[in-house]
Amino acid sequence: MADQVPRIDTTRPHTARIWNYWLDGKDNYLVDREAGDQIRQLHPGIGDYARADRLFLGRSVRYLAGEVGIRQFLDIGTGLPSADNTHEVAQRVAPDARIVYVDNDPLVLTHARALLTSTPEGRTDYLDADLRDVDTILERAAETLDLTQPVALVLLGVVIFIEDDAESHGVVHRLLDALPSGSHLVLSHTITSPAMPDVDRAVEFWNEHGTPKLTQRTPEQITRYFDGLTLLPPGVVSCSRWRADGAADGAVDGEPEEVAMFGGVGRKA
């Protein structure tokens, strides 16, 4: 792994490390914390939607492993390991679950190899690859997953790094086309909305100072990623509200607060 170390740029803030900082992790640098604090000044609720996205991961994976019976997960854009990663949630429900993580950040790679373990009955693997490199991802994932059986494709906060709409839709659907009937897409994405102008300002700041750059989309644009799939209730909604479990998910009176990270789950027929 020594050849990976020089690729870690500690002079510019990086989204995975800032996300880790907002989730109270320790795998970040001063430059990330400073940028994270500046973004939080522009958008005070940013930490809330980082946590909401994490809770959405837990609820969607528990649902798929428990109620649907999915035993295979392809998680692309893993980010730095935190509490309740995909394999931990899935294998608590189904110890024989198999999980393949994909990311192309060297710091993520280092931590993933050390921390993303598995139950004896299941298996966890990690691939160093870019989201756009669909053929490589599928070829190498097939060493761990049986791609003739249903797979949950998990794309949380990663499609935002592909600016071109046609390219991003092409990547998502090339991945889905390789998966069989009964597979599911779990996707979340930062939104732009007139009701949340501070989010736009925070993203503008990030794109000026950080790496990689982010692309916002409207909830309607995000819903298009589920074209051809059966979108499960409640549809594409604030991650804080996707099958939220009352007070356990931050609700005080009624629904939890809406955040600028929307997500949904769809089933392939």
Side-chain angles (χ1 to χ4, degrees):
M1 288 187 289
D3 59 336
Q4 299 286 341
V5 175
R7 291 173 52 201
I8 300 175
D9 183 358
T10 61
T11 65
R12 294 190 68 190
H14 191 282
T15 183
R17 302 193 305 254
I18 292 180
W19 205 257
N20 176 264
Y21 171 55
W22 286 331
L23 290 171
D24 300 321
K26 306 299 181 186
D27 302 313
N28 48 74
Y29 299 100
L30 178 62
V31 67
D32 306 307
R33 296 189 288 275
E34 289 176 343
D37 288 338
Q38 288 175 287
I39 292 171
R40 189 149 34 198
Q41 288 179 359
L42 293 169
H43 178 39
I46 192 73
D48 293 334
Y49 83 71
R51 287 184 287 274
D53 192 49
R54 200 72 190 172
L55 290 171
F56 170 61
L57 168 67
R59 291 195 299 272
S60 59
V61 170
R62 276 194 301 274
Y63 168 76
L64 292 174
E67 296 189 37
V68 179
I70 297 290
R71 293 295 179 266
Q72 303 188 108
F73 295 81
L74 178 57
D75 186 342
I76 304 176
T78 309
L80 285 159
S82 184
D84 278 349
N85 301 288
T86 299
H87 75 286
E88 293 169 310
V89 177
Q91 291 180 346
R92 274 200 297 270
V93 177
D96 61 336
R98 293 183 166 221
I99 297 87
V100 172
Y101 292 103
V102 182
D103 208 293
N104 67 343
D105 180 77
L107 188 63
V108 172
L109 174 64
T110 300
H111 285 268
R113 285 176 170 165
L115 299 177
L116 300 181
T117 56
S118 175
T119 58
E121 303 94 328
R123 185 171 172 188
T124 300
D125 201 0
Y126 183 93
L127 307 182
D128 183 7
D130 186 274
L131 169 63
R132 297 173 180 83
D133 198 353
V134 173
D135 292 340
T136 297
I137 290 173
L138 293 171
E139 179 182 350
R140 294 181 59 194
E143 297 172 9
T144 299
L145 308 178
D146 179 357
L147 300 186
T148 69
Q149 297 298 314
V151 174
L153 173 62
V154 181
L155 299 173
L156 299 189
V158 64
V159 179
I160 59 177
F161 301 125
I162 303 180
E163 180 178 5
D164 183 78
D165 282 347
E167 182 184 10
S168 65
H169 283 277
V171 166
V172 172
H173 286 283
R174 282 178 61 204
L175 287 162
L176 286 169
D177 286 347
L179 304 180
S181 174
S183 294
H184 286 68
L185 170 65
V186 182
L187 183 144
S188 70
H189 198 298
T190 305
I191 67 161
T192 180
S193 166
M196 299 179 180
D198 53 339
V199 178
D200 295 344
R201 289 193 295 270
V203 171
E204 286 174 10
F205 173 87
W206 171 258
N207 285 343
E208 186 176 341
H209 300 281
T211 184
K213 297 190 184 303
L214 313 180
T215 298
Q216 294 167 278
R217 292 181 171 93
T218 65
E220 293 75 21
Q221 288 174 313
I222 297 166
T223 301
R224 285 193 53 223
Y225 289 104
F226 296 91
D227 285 354
L229 306 178
T230 300
L231 188 57
L232 305 185
V236 173
V237 297
S238 169
C239 285
S240 58
R241 295 180 174 178
W242 194 89
R243 303 196 178 201
D245 185 19
D249 289 312
V252 179
D253 292 309
E255 287 190 303
E257 286 292 319
E258 192 171 69
V259 298
M261 180 70 78
F262 272 43
V265 179
R267 182 184 188 277
K268 182 176 179 178

